[in-house]
Amino acid sequence: MKRQSRPARLVILLLCIVIGVLVALQFKNVSEASRAKVADTASADELRDFVIDLQLANAELAEQNNRLRDNLRALQGEQEGDNVALNQVMAENRQLEIFAGLVAVEGPGAHITIVDGKNAKVDHNHLLTFVNFLRAGNAQGIAINGERLVAMSEILTTGSFPDQQIVINGNIVSASDGIYTIRVIGDPEQIASTYSLLGSYVSNLLVKGIGVSLEKVETVQLPALGKESPAYRFGLLTADD
Amino acid sequence: MKTPFDLLRSLRVPLRRLRDGARRCQEFFESRRGAHVVLVLTLAIVLLTVFVSTTRGLALERHQISAAVDELSELQSLLDEQQAQHQRLELEAEDLRRQRDELVTRLLEMSAFAGAEGQQELEDLARNRRLAQATEVRGPGIRLVMGDASGVEQGSGRSEDLIHERDIQDAVNLLKSAGATAIAVNGERLISSSKLICNGPTILVNRNLQAAPFVITATGDPERLLAALDANERLLYLQLRGKEIHYHVADDLVIPAFRDETYIRTVTDLMVERSQP
Protein backbone atom coordinates (compact mmCIF):
# COMPACT_ATOMS: atom_id res chain seq x y z
CA MET A 1 0.00 0.00 0.00
CA LYS A 2 1.25 3.39 -0.89
CA ARG A 3 1.78 5.61 2.13
CA GLN A 4 -0.48 8.64 2.23
CA SER A 5 1.12 11.95 1.50
CA ARG A 6 1.81 14.27 4.39
CA PRO A 7 -0.84 16.92 3.62
CA ALA A 8 -3.55 14.27 3.14
CA ARG A 9 -2.81 12.76 6.55
CA LEU A 10 -2.84 16.20 8.06
CA VAL A 11 -6.25 16.91 6.52
CA ILE A 12 -7.67 13.65 7.87
CA LEU A 13 -6.21 14.35 11.30
CA LEU A 14 -7.74 17.84 11.35
CA LEU A 15 -11.12 16.55 10.22
CA CYS A 16 -11.03 13.86 12.89
CA ILE A 17 -10.39 16.51 15.53
CA VAL A 18 -13.28 18.60 14.18
CA ILE A 19 -15.58 15.56 14.27
CA GLY A 20 -14.52 14.78 17.83
CA VAL A 21 -15.29 18.30 18.95
CA LEU A 22 -18.65 18.24 17.15
CA VAL A 23 -19.63 14.93 18.76
CA ALA A 24 -18.74 16.30 22.19
CA LEU A 25 -20.74 19.47 21.62
CA GLN A 26 -23.69 17.48 20.34
CA PHE A 27 -23.63 15.30 23.47
CA LYS A 28 -23.72 18.46 25.54
CA ASN A 29 -26.68 19.74 23.52
CA VAL A 30 -28.65 16.52 23.96
CA SER A 31 -28.08 16.34 27.70
CA GLU A 32 -28.99 20.02 28.07
CA ALA A 33 -32.17 19.50 26.09
CA SER A 34 -33.23 16.58 28.29
CA ARG A 35 -32.56 18.63 31.40
CA ALA A 36 -34.63 21.48 30.01
CA LYS A 37 -37.69 19.19 29.74
CA VAL A 38 -37.75 18.96 33.56
CA ALA A 39 -38.49 22.66 33.84
CA ASP A 40 -42.10 21.99 32.90
CA THR A 41 -44.67 24.71 32.56
CA ALA A 42 -47.06 22.56 34.62
CA SER A 43 -45.23 23.59 37.79
CA ALA A 44 -45.94 27.24 36.99
CA ASP A 45 -49.66 26.48 36.71
CA GLU A 46 -49.57 24.63 40.01
CA LEU A 47 -47.76 27.47 41.68
CA ARG A 48 -50.23 29.98 40.28
CA ASP A 49 -53.18 27.97 41.66
CA PHE A 50 -51.39 27.82 44.98
CA VAL A 51 -50.93 31.57 45.08
CA ILE A 52 -54.58 32.17 44.16
CA ASP A 53 -55.79 29.78 46.88
CA LEU A 54 -53.59 31.47 49.42
CA GLN A 55 -54.80 34.92 48.42
CA LEU A 56 -58.36 33.71 48.87
CA ALA A 57 -57.57 32.18 52.26
CA ASN A 58 -55.86 35.38 53.37
CA ALA A 59 -58.85 37.48 52.34
CA GLU A 60 -61.12 35.18 54.38
CA LEU A 61 -58.76 35.30 57.32
CA ALA A 62 -58.62 39.09 57.21
CA GLU A 63 -62.42 39.19 57.17
CA GLN A 64 -62.57 36.77 60.10
CA ASN A 65 -60.14 38.95 62.06
CA ASN A 66 -62.28 41.99 61.38
CA ARG A 67 -65.27 40.13 62.79
CA LEU A 68 -63.22 39.16 65.85
CA ARG A 69 -62.22 42.81 66.34
CA ASP A 70 -65.89 43.85 66.12
CA ASN A 71 -66.79 41.20 68.71
CA LEU A 72 -64.00 42.39 70.96
CA ARG A 73 -65.10 46.02 70.69
CA ALA A 74 -68.70 45.05 71.51
CA LEU A 75 -67.50 43.08 74.53
CA GLN A 76 -65.35 45.94 75.76
CA GLY A 77 -68.36 48.24 75.63
CA GLU A 78 -70.67 45.78 77.39
CA GLN A 79 -73.05 47.32 79.92
CA GLU A 80 -75.13 45.52 82.49
CA GLY A 81 -78.14 43.94 80.80
CA ASP A 82 -76.62 44.01 77.26
CA ASN A 83 -75.86 40.28 77.22
CA VAL A 84 -73.19 40.84 74.55
CA ALA A 85 -70.92 38.14 75.95
CA LEU A 86 -73.79 35.72 76.45
CA ASN A 87 -75.13 36.28 72.95
CA GLN A 88 -71.70 35.77 71.42
CA VAL A 89 -71.13 32.51 73.26
CA MET A 90 -74.61 31.30 72.42
CA ALA A 91 -74.11 32.07 68.73
CA GLU A 92 -70.81 30.18 68.69
CA ASN A 93 -72.32 27.26 70.61
CA ARG A 94 -75.28 26.85 68.26
CA GLN A 95 -72.99 26.90 65.24
CA LEU A 96 -70.49 24.45 66.74
CA GLU A 97 -73.28 22.09 67.79
CA ILE A 98 -74.52 21.91 64.22
CA PHE A 99 -71.00 21.60 62.81
CA ALA A 100 -69.93 18.88 65.25
CA GLY A 101 -73.17 16.89 64.83
CA LEU A 102 -74.32 17.37 68.43
CA VAL A 103 -77.88 18.39 67.54
CA ALA A 104 -80.46 17.01 65.12
CA VAL A 105 -80.59 19.11 61.95
CA GLU A 106 -82.46 19.39 58.69
CA GLY A 107 -81.82 20.87 55.29
CA PRO A 108 -81.96 20.20 51.54
CA GLY A 109 -80.07 17.24 50.12
CA ALA A 110 -80.51 13.65 49.05
CA HIS A 111 -80.91 10.07 50.13
CA ILE A 112 -78.65 7.42 48.65
CA THR A 113 -79.97 3.94 49.15
CA ILE A 114 -77.63 0.95 48.98
CA VAL A 115 -79.03 -2.57 49.24
CA ASP A 116 -77.29 -5.88 49.88
CA GLY A 117 -77.26 -8.31 46.96
CA LYS A 118 -77.84 -12.06 47.12
CA ASN A 119 -74.16 -12.88 46.75
CA ALA A 120 -72.56 -9.60 47.74
CA LYS A 121 -73.07 -7.56 50.85
CA VAL A 122 -72.43 -3.91 51.45
CA ASP A 123 -69.25 -3.38 53.49
CA HIS A 124 -67.53 -0.44 55.12
CA ASN A 125 -65.34 0.22 52.06
CA HIS A 126 -68.41 0.91 49.94
CA LEU A 127 -69.83 3.29 52.51
CA LEU A 128 -66.46 5.05 53.05
CA THR A 129 -66.15 5.62 49.31
CA PHE A 130 -69.61 7.17 49.08
CA VAL A 131 -69.02 9.30 52.18
CA ASN A 132 -65.65 10.57 50.96
CA PHE A 133 -67.13 11.47 47.57
CA LEU A 134 -70.10 13.21 49.13
CA ARG A 135 -67.80 15.27 51.34
CA ALA A 136 -65.78 16.14 48.24
CA GLY A 137 -69.09 17.41 46.82
CA ASN A 138 -69.41 19.77 49.81
CA ALA A 139 -71.83 17.64 51.81
CA GLN A 140 -72.54 19.48 55.07
CA GLY A 141 -73.97 16.66 57.14
CA ILE A 142 -74.23 12.90 56.67
CA ALA A 143 -75.96 10.08 58.53
CA ILE A 144 -76.14 6.39 57.70
CA ASN A 145 -79.06 4.36 59.07
CA GLY A 146 -79.59 6.67 62.02
CA GLU A 147 -75.94 7.26 62.91
CA ARG A 148 -74.67 10.80 62.36
CA LEU A 149 -71.16 10.90 60.93
CA VAL A 150 -68.85 13.25 62.82
CA ALA A 151 -65.10 13.87 62.75
CA MET A 152 -64.20 10.77 64.75
CA SER A 153 -66.94 8.41 63.47
CA GLU A 154 -65.67 5.03 62.31
CA ILE A 155 -67.29 2.74 59.75
CA LEU A 156 -66.44 -0.90 60.38
CA THR A 157 -67.40 -4.28 59.02
CA THR A 158 -67.56 -6.97 61.67
CA GLY A 159 -67.97 -10.69 61.16
CA SER A 160 -67.46 -12.37 57.81
CA PHE A 161 -69.64 -12.98 54.78
CA PRO A 162 -72.53 -13.76 54.81
CA ASP A 163 -73.03 -12.81 58.45
CA GLN A 164 -71.15 -9.52 58.35
CA GLN A 165 -72.54 -6.39 59.92
CA ILE A 166 -71.60 -2.75 59.72
CA VAL A 167 -70.84 -0.76 62.85
CA ILE A 168 -70.88 3.05 63.01
CA ASN A 169 -70.28 5.08 66.17
CA GLY A 170 -70.08 1.81 68.06
CA ASN A 171 -73.58 0.74 67.01
CA ILE A 172 -74.63 -1.93 64.55
CA VAL A 173 -76.43 -0.16 61.70
CA SER A 174 -77.13 -3.19 59.51
CA ALA A 175 -80.83 -3.96 59.34
CA SER A 176 -82.43 -7.28 58.48
CA ASP A 177 -83.63 -5.87 55.13
CA GLY A 178 -80.02 -5.16 54.08
CA ILE A 179 -80.81 -1.54 53.25
CA TYR A 180 -78.40 1.30 54.01
CA THR A 181 -79.67 4.83 53.60
CA ILE A 182 -77.08 7.56 53.40
CA ARG A 183 -78.85 10.80 54.29
CA VAL A 184 -76.91 13.82 53.18
CA ILE A 185 -77.51 17.54 53.53
CA GLY A 186 -75.94 19.69 50.85
CA ASP A 187 -76.68 21.38 47.55
CA PRO A 188 -78.87 18.74 45.81
CA GLU A 189 -77.49 19.61 42.36
CA GLN A 190 -73.92 19.27 43.55
CA ILE A 191 -74.71 15.98 45.29
CA ALA A 192 -76.29 14.68 42.10
CA SER A 193 -73.29 15.64 39.99
CA THR A 194 -70.90 14.15 42.53
CA TYR A 195 -72.96 10.98 42.45
CA SER A 196 -72.72 10.85 38.68
CA LEU A 197 -68.92 11.05 38.98
CA LEU A 198 -69.20 7.74 40.82
CA GLY A 199 -70.92 6.23 37.78
CA SER A 200 -68.45 3.45 37.06
CA TYR A 201 -68.17 2.60 40.74
CA VAL A 202 -71.94 2.38 41.02
CA SER A 203 -72.26 0.21 37.92
CA ASN A 204 -69.62 -2.13 39.34
CA LEU A 205 -71.73 -2.53 42.46
CA LEU A 206 -74.85 -3.09 40.34
CA VAL A 207 -73.05 -5.85 38.44
CA LYS A 208 -72.27 -7.54 41.75
CA GLY A 209 -75.93 -7.32 42.65
CA ILE A 210 -75.69 -4.47 45.15
CA GLY A 211 -78.44 -1.95 44.46
CA VAL A 212 -77.69 1.77 44.53
CA SER A 213 -80.02 4.69 43.93
CA LEU A 214 -80.11 8.43 44.55
CA GLU A 215 -83.14 10.51 45.38
CA LYS A 216 -83.07 14.29 45.84
CA VAL A 217 -84.94 15.27 48.99
CA GLU A 218 -86.28 18.69 49.89
CA THR A 219 -85.81 18.28 53.63
CA VAL A 220 -83.33 15.72 54.84
CA GLN A 221 -83.37 15.07 58.58
CA LEU A 222 -80.24 14.00 60.44
CA PRO A 223 -80.10 12.76 64.03
CA ALA A 224 -77.62 14.03 66.61
CA LEU A 225 -74.53 12.07 67.57
CA GLY A 226 -75.40 9.74 70.48
CA LYS A 227 -73.82 10.77 73.79
CA GLU A 228 -72.86 7.14 74.44
CA SER A 229 -70.96 6.78 71.17
CA PRO A 230 -67.15 6.40 71.22
CA ALA A 231 -66.84 9.44 68.95
CA TYR A 232 -68.53 11.54 71.65
CA ARG A 233 -66.86 10.00 74.68
CA PHE A 234 -63.34 9.89 73.25
CA GLY A 235 -63.73 13.41 71.94
CA LEU A 236 -64.17 14.60 75.50
CA LEU A 237 -61.12 12.72 76.73
CA THR A 238 -58.84 15.20 75.03
CA ALA A 239 -56.75 17.52 77.12
CA ASP A 240 -57.53 21.12 76.34
CA ASP A 241 -54.92 23.67 75.36
CA MET B 1 -4.48 43.02 -32.43
CA LYS B 2 -5.82 39.87 -30.87
CA THR B 3 -8.05 37.62 -32.87
CA PRO B 4 -10.37 35.12 -31.26
CA PHE B 5 -7.85 32.54 -32.43
CA ASP B 6 -5.13 34.24 -30.33
CA LEU B 7 -7.41 34.21 -27.35
CA LEU B 8 -8.01 30.51 -27.67
CA ARG B 9 -4.33 29.89 -28.00
CA SER B 10 -3.55 31.91 -24.91
CA LEU B 11 -6.11 29.82 -23.01
CA ARG B 12 -4.54 26.55 -24.09
CA VAL B 13 -2.00 26.43 -21.31
CA PRO B 14 -4.32 27.13 -18.38
CA LEU B 15 -6.89 24.76 -19.85
CA ARG B 16 -4.33 22.04 -20.02
CA ARG B 17 -3.35 22.74 -16.42
CA LEU B 18 -6.96 22.61 -15.41
CA ARG B 19 -7.42 19.29 -17.18
CA ASP B 20 -4.29 17.93 -15.56
CA GLY B 21 -5.48 19.12 -12.21
CA ALA B 22 -8.86 17.51 -12.68
CA ARG B 23 -7.22 14.26 -13.66
CA ARG B 24 -4.98 14.39 -10.62
CA CYS B 25 -7.96 15.12 -8.45
CA GLN B 26 -9.81 12.19 -9.96
CA GLU B 27 -6.82 9.94 -9.36
CA PHE B 28 -6.52 11.22 -5.85
CA PHE B 29 -10.16 10.60 -5.00
CA GLU B 30 -10.09 7.21 -6.58
CA SER B 31 -7.06 6.32 -4.48
CA ARG B 32 -7.41 4.87 -0.95
CA ARG B 33 -6.29 8.00 0.88
CA GLY B 34 -8.66 10.07 -1.22
CA ALA B 35 -11.52 7.88 -0.19
CA HIS B 36 -10.57 8.47 3.44
CA VAL B 37 -10.70 12.20 3.05
CA VAL B 38 -14.07 12.06 1.28
CA LEU B 39 -15.52 9.83 3.95
CA VAL B 40 -14.29 11.97 6.82
CA LEU B 41 -15.34 15.18 5.07
CA THR B 42 -18.88 13.84 4.51
CA LEU B 43 -19.11 12.79 8.14
CA ALA B 44 -17.96 16.23 9.25
CA ILE B 45 -20.52 17.97 7.09
CA VAL B 46 -23.36 15.78 8.32
CA LEU B 47 -22.34 16.32 11.92
CA LEU B 48 -21.99 20.04 11.42
CA THR B 49 -25.51 20.23 9.98
CA VAL B 50 -26.99 18.26 12.90
CA PHE B 51 -25.04 20.34 15.39
CA VAL B 52 -26.13 23.64 13.91
CA SER B 53 -29.79 22.64 13.77
CA THR B 54 -29.93 21.33 17.37
CA THR B 55 -28.02 24.33 18.65
CA ARG B 56 -30.50 26.62 16.97
CA GLY B 57 -33.43 24.61 18.42
CA LEU B 58 -31.84 24.68 21.82
CA ALA B 59 -31.34 28.41 21.71
CA LEU B 60 -35.06 28.82 21.07
CA GLU B 61 -35.86 26.45 23.92
CA ARG B 62 -33.43 28.22 26.21
CA HIS B 63 -35.24 31.45 25.49
CA GLN B 64 -38.58 29.85 26.40
CA ILE B 65 -37.09 28.35 29.54
CA SER B 66 -35.67 31.63 30.73
CA ALA B 67 -39.11 33.20 30.22
CA ALA B 68 -40.65 30.36 32.23
CA VAL B 69 -38.02 30.70 34.95
CA ASP B 70 -38.73 34.43 35.18
CA GLU B 71 -42.42 33.67 35.61
CA LEU B 72 -41.67 31.02 38.23
CA SER B 73 -39.47 33.31 40.29
CA GLU B 74 -42.11 36.01 40.10
CA LEU B 75 -44.77 33.53 41.30
CA GLN B 76 -42.43 32.32 44.00
CA SER B 77 -41.95 35.81 45.41
CA LEU B 78 -45.70 36.35 45.26
CA LEU B 79 -46.16 33.09 47.15
CA ASP B 80 -43.57 34.03 49.78
CA GLU B 81 -45.33 37.33 50.27
CA GLN B 82 -48.75 35.67 50.67
CA GLN B 83 -47.34 33.05 53.02
CA ALA B 84 -45.79 35.72 55.22
CA GLN B 85 -49.11 37.53 55.26
CA HIS B 86 -50.90 34.30 56.11
CA GLN B 87 -48.65 33.75 59.09
CA ARG B 88 -49.19 37.31 60.25
CA LEU B 89 -52.98 36.95 59.97
CA GLU B 90 -52.94 33.60 61.81
CA LEU B 91 -50.99 35.11 64.69
CA GLU B 92 -53.33 38.07 64.77
CA ALA B 93 -56.37 35.76 64.81
CA GLU B 94 -54.91 33.77 67.66
CA ASP B 95 -54.28 36.91 69.67
CA LEU B 96 -57.77 38.28 69.00
CA ARG B 97 -59.41 34.97 69.92
CA ARG B 98 -57.46 34.80 73.16
CA GLN B 99 -58.48 38.35 74.08
CA ARG B 100 -62.11 37.66 73.22
CA ASP B 101 -62.22 34.38 75.15
CA GLU B 102 -60.68 35.99 78.22
CA LEU B 103 -63.12 38.86 78.11
CA VAL B 104 -66.14 36.60 77.53
CA THR B 105 -65.15 34.37 80.42
CA ARG B 106 -64.60 37.31 82.73
CA LEU B 107 -67.94 38.89 81.81
CA LEU B 108 -69.93 35.67 82.11
CA GLU B 109 -68.34 34.79 85.43
CA MET B 110 -69.63 38.05 86.80
CA SER B 111 -73.07 36.70 87.62
CA ALA B 112 -74.62 40.13 87.26
CA PHE B 113 -74.38 39.71 83.50
CA ALA B 114 -75.59 36.21 82.75
CA GLY B 115 -75.99 34.14 85.87
CA ALA B 116 -76.44 30.38 85.66
CA GLU B 117 -77.26 30.54 81.98
CA GLY B 118 -73.86 32.09 81.27
CA GLN B 119 -72.12 29.39 83.27
CA GLN B 120 -73.94 26.69 81.34
CA GLU B 121 -73.08 28.23 77.98
CA LEU B 122 -69.42 28.48 78.98
CA GLU B 123 -69.35 24.81 79.89
CA ASP B 124 -71.07 23.92 76.62
CA LEU B 125 -68.56 26.02 74.74
CA ALA B 126 -65.65 24.00 76.10
CA ARG B 127 -67.41 20.73 75.15
CA ASN B 128 -68.52 21.95 71.73
CA ARG B 129 -65.09 23.21 70.81
CA ARG B 130 -63.54 19.88 71.71
CA LEU B 131 -66.06 17.86 69.71
CA ALA B 132 -65.76 20.27 66.78
CA GLN B 133 -61.98 19.60 66.78
CA ALA B 134 -61.48 23.29 67.47
CA THR B 135 -59.02 22.81 70.34
CA GLU B 136 -55.42 21.73 70.21
CA VAL B 137 -54.93 18.23 71.60
CA ARG B 138 -51.74 17.05 73.29
CA GLY B 139 -50.88 13.63 74.59
CA PRO B 140 -49.66 10.14 73.78
CA GLY B 141 -50.68 8.37 70.63
CA ILE B 142 -49.32 7.01 67.42
CA ARG B 143 -47.42 8.39 64.46
CA LEU B 144 -47.97 6.57 61.18
CA VAL B 145 -45.95 7.38 58.07
CA MET B 146 -47.21 6.29 54.63
CA GLY B 147 -44.97 6.96 51.66
CA ASP B 148 -44.78 6.01 48.01
CA ALA B 149 -42.60 3.05 47.03
CA SER B 150 -38.93 4.03 47.12
CA GLY B 151 -37.38 5.22 43.89
CA VAL B 152 -40.60 6.76 42.68
CA GLU B 153 -39.89 10.12 41.10
CA GLN B 154 -42.53 12.77 40.89
CA GLY B 155 -44.55 12.43 37.73
CA SER B 156 -43.02 9.12 36.72
CA GLY B 157 -44.57 6.97 39.43
CA ARG B 158 -46.73 4.07 38.42
CA SER B 159 -50.11 4.18 40.09
CA GLU B 160 -49.50 0.97 42.03
CA ASP B 161 -46.37 2.46 43.61
CA LEU B 162 -48.18 5.47 45.05
CA ILE B 163 -50.11 5.99 48.27
CA HIS B 164 -53.71 6.79 47.40
CA GLU B 165 -56.58 8.52 49.16
CA ARG B 166 -58.11 5.10 49.80
CA ASP B 167 -55.02 4.01 51.73
CA ILE B 168 -55.09 7.09 53.95
CA GLN B 169 -58.87 6.91 54.35
CA ASP B 170 -58.55 3.30 55.46
CA ALA B 171 -55.79 4.00 57.97
CA VAL B 172 -57.70 6.97 59.38
CA ASN B 173 -60.88 4.91 59.70
CA LEU B 174 -58.87 2.19 61.44
CA LEU B 175 -57.48 4.66 63.97
CA LYS B 176 -60.97 6.07 64.61
CA SER B 177 -62.32 2.60 65.31
CA ALA B 178 -59.44 2.03 67.74
CA GLY B 179 -60.63 5.00 69.82
CA ALA B 180 -58.44 7.82 68.51
CA THR B 181 -59.35 11.09 70.22
CA ALA B 182 -57.97 13.41 67.52
CA ILE B 183 -56.30 12.86 64.15
CA ALA B 184 -54.24 14.99 61.80
CA VAL B 185 -52.86 14.20 58.34
CA ASN B 186 -49.68 16.15 57.63
CA GLY B 187 -50.65 18.51 60.43
CA GLU B 188 -54.13 19.08 59.02
CA ARG B 189 -56.76 18.32 61.69
CA LEU B 190 -59.52 16.01 60.49
CA ILE B 191 -63.02 17.40 61.04
CA SER B 192 -66.54 16.15 60.36
CA SER B 193 -66.50 17.28 56.75
CA SER B 194 -62.91 16.27 55.97
CA LYS B 195 -62.42 14.60 52.64
CA LEU B 196 -59.39 13.13 50.97
CA ILE B 197 -59.10 13.67 47.24
CA CYS B 198 -56.37 12.25 45.05
CA ASN B 199 -54.91 14.93 42.84
CA GLY B 200 -52.10 13.38 40.85
CA PRO B 201 -49.23 12.68 43.24
CA THR B 202 -50.76 14.90 45.92
CA ILE B 203 -53.81 14.46 48.14
CA LEU B 204 -56.18 17.20 49.18
CA VAL B 205 -56.79 17.10 52.93
CA ASN B 206 -59.52 19.52 54.00
CA ARG B 207 -58.58 22.47 51.82
CA ASN B 208 -54.84 21.93 51.55
CA LEU B 209 -52.82 19.86 49.12
CA GLN B 210 -50.44 17.46 50.81
CA ALA B 211 -47.70 15.37 49.23
CA ALA B 212 -46.22 12.03 50.22
CA PRO B 213 -44.99 10.91 52.64
CA PHE B 214 -48.19 11.29 54.62
CA VAL B 215 -47.75 11.57 58.35
CA ILE B 216 -50.85 10.59 60.28
CA THR B 217 -50.82 11.51 63.94
CA ALA B 218 -53.51 10.26 66.29
CA THR B 219 -53.89 10.74 70.02
CA GLY B 220 -55.51 8.01 72.06
CA ASP B 221 -54.59 4.85 73.95
CA PRO B 222 -51.23 3.95 72.33
CA GLU B 223 -51.60 0.22 73.05
CA ARG B 224 -54.99 0.02 71.41
CA LEU B 225 -53.94 2.10 68.41
CA LEU B 226 -50.78 0.03 67.98
CA ALA B 227 -52.67 -3.24 68.20
CA ALA B 228 -55.13 -2.06 65.55
CA LEU B 229 -52.32 -1.10 63.17
CA ASP B 230 -50.46 -4.38 63.81
CA ALA B 231 -53.54 -6.42 62.99
CA ASN B 232 -54.37 -4.55 59.77
CA GLU B 233 -53.90 -6.58 56.62
CA ARG B 234 -54.12 -3.66 54.25
CA LEU B 235 -51.12 -1.91 55.80
CA LEU B 236 -49.18 -5.16 55.59
CA TYR B 237 -50.17 -5.49 51.96
CA LEU B 238 -48.99 -1.96 51.19
CA GLN B 239 -45.72 -2.74 52.95
CA LEU B 240 -45.26 -5.90 50.89
CA ARG B 241 -45.83 -3.87 47.75
CA GLY B 242 -42.74 -1.87 48.66
CA LYS B 243 -44.45 1.21 50.01
CA GLU B 244 -43.02 3.06 52.96
CA ILE B 245 -45.19 2.15 55.94
CA HIS B 246 -43.95 2.57 59.48
CA TYR B 247 -45.44 3.63 62.77
CA HIS B 248 -44.46 4.03 66.36
CA VAL B 249 -45.86 5.17 69.66
CA ALA B 250 -45.27 8.85 70.38
CA ASP B 251 -45.49 10.13 73.95
CA ASP B 252 -46.19 13.77 73.39
CA LEU B 253 -48.11 14.47 70.22
CA VAL B 254 -49.55 17.86 69.43
CA ILE B 255 -52.60 17.73 67.15
CA PRO B 256 -53.37 21.25 65.97
CA ALA B 257 -56.84 22.75 66.39
CA PHE B 258 -59.16 23.36 63.46
CA ARG B 259 -59.87 27.05 63.75
CA ASP B 260 -61.20 28.13 60.39
CA GLU B 261 -64.37 29.91 61.55
CA THR B 262 -65.22 31.09 58.06
CA TYR B 263 -65.11 27.51 56.83
CA ILE B 264 -67.31 26.34 59.69
CA ARG B 265 -69.83 29.03 58.77
CA THR B 266 -69.95 28.06 55.09
CA VAL B 267 -70.07 24.33 55.71
CA THR B 268 -73.14 24.61 57.96
CA ASP B 269 -75.18 27.23 56.12
CA LEU B 270 -77.74 24.74 54.73
CA MET B 271 -78.37 23.06 58.07
CA VAL B 272 -80.80 24.27 60.71
CA GLU B 273 -81.29 22.76 64.13
CA ARG B 274 -84.37 20.61 64.38
CA SER B 275 -86.51 21.49 67.39
CA GLN B 276 -87.02 17.87 68.46
CA PRO B 277 -85.07 14.88 67.16
Side-chain angles (χ1 to χ4, degrees), chain A residues 157-236:
Chain A
T157 308
T158 62
S160 52
F161 186 83
D163 299 316
Q164 66 198 40
Q165 287 181 310
I166 293 182
V167 172
I168 300 177
N169 293 336
N171 291 322
I172 293 171
V173 297
S174 301
S176 53
D177 56 8
I179 297 176
Y180 297 88
T181 307
I182 304 179
R183 290 168 213 274
V184 50
I185 294 180
D187 175 17
E189 297 307 320
Q190 210 176 351
I191 291 171
S193 65
T194 305
Y195 179 81
S196 65
L197 285 179
L198 272 170
S200 64
Y201 186 74
V202 168
S203 41
N204 264 334
L205 291 182
L206 293 175
V207 167
K208 285 181 192 164
I210 293 175
V212 187
S213 65
L214 171 102
E215 179 199 358
K216 288 186 206 169
V217 176
E218 209 170 302
T219 309
V220 176
Q221 301 195 325
L222 304 182
L225 173 69
K227 286 198 164 61
E228 293 310 311
S229 66
Y232 192 99
R233 289 184 290 116
F234 285 116
L236 289 184

Side-chain angles (χ1 to χ4, degrees), chain A residues 151-152, chain B residues 133 135-137 142-146 168 171-172 175-176 180-191 194 196 205-206 210 213-220 225 253-258:
Chain A
M152 288 294 119
Chain B
Q133 319 298 315
T135 57
E136 185 182 88
V137 174
I142 214 123
R143 191 184 164 85
L144 163 67
V145 178
M146 303 176 84
I168 312 253
V172 163
L175 292 168
K176 286 176 185 174
T181 53
I183 301 177
V185 177
N186 284 17
E188 193 67 40
R189 180 75 170 265
L190 294 189
I191 53 169
S194 288
L196 302 159
V205 184
N206 289 345
Q210 305 288 344
F214 300 96
V215 180
I216 301 171
T217 42
T219 50
L225 295 170
L253 287 174
V254 180
I255 315 275
F258 183 83

